[in-house]
Amino acid sequence: MKIIETIYENQNGKIIHGDNLEILATLEPKTIDNCISDFPYDLSFMGKKWDNTGNFYEWNLQRAKGLMRVLKHGGYVAIFGHPKTNHRMKCAFEDAGFKIVEEIDWI
């Protein structure tokens, strides 16, 4: 098991650093208001291992299912994506039960 560390906490919430699947497994169902994350883009950027998931759809689907389990009703996720691969990410989140209602783009 990897290290899970709370790096900031106050009365409103906390920021946890660690493997997201391991952290999700420790959380009680329907206890999280939101999740903001910057997932790998799966572009194999400069040959870096952290940017090559193997199967981007399945990688996202696992995390989307975990998030769906812990999010409160009405909770939301905001996850950064890359134009070349975010369609796979969005499909995985929809397949896990999320509804894509907004998309923010920057140019």
Side-chain angles (χ1 to χ4, degrees), residues 37-48:
S37 188
D38 189 3
F39 285 4
Y41 298 162
D42 207 49
L43 300 172
S44 298
F45 179 71
M46 295 176 59
K48 301 294 184 186

Side-chain angles (χ1 to χ4, degrees), residues 5-21:
E5 177 185 12
T6 298
I7 58 173
Y8 177 81
E9 185 171 7
N10 68 20
Q11 68 277 8
N12 295 317
K14 61 183 167 181
I15 298 172
I16 303 169
H17 179 263
D19 180 275
N20 48 26
L21 288 180

Side-chain angles (χ1 to χ4, degrees), residues 3-4 6 12 16 19 22 33 36 48 50 52-53 58-59 73 81 85 91 101 105:
I3 296 172
I4 297 174
T6 298
N12 295 317
I16 303 169
D19 180 275
E22 290 180 8
D33 294 304
I36 301 169
K48 301 294 184 186
W50 55 262
N52 185 351
T53 63
E58 288 296 327
W59 189 93
H73 180 72
T85 56
C91 287
V101 295
D105 297 320

Side-chain angles (χ1 to χ4, degrees), residues 60-103:
N60 280 281
L61 184 62
Q62 287 181 310
R63 284 143 185 88
K65 286 179 178 178
L67 283 168
M68 182 58 80
R69 183 184 72 78
V70 300
L71 277 176
K72 295 177 183 176
H73 180 72
Y76 68 91
V77 298
I79 300 177
F80 293 80
H82 191 278
K84 290 184 178 181
T85 56
N86 74 2
H87 58 288
R88 290 186 182 95
M89 178 179 62
K90 289 189 280 188
C91 287
F93 272 77
E94 286 180 326
D95 290 348
F98 284 90
K99 300 210 181 327
I100 309 296
V101 295
E102 296 290 338
E103 186 170 326

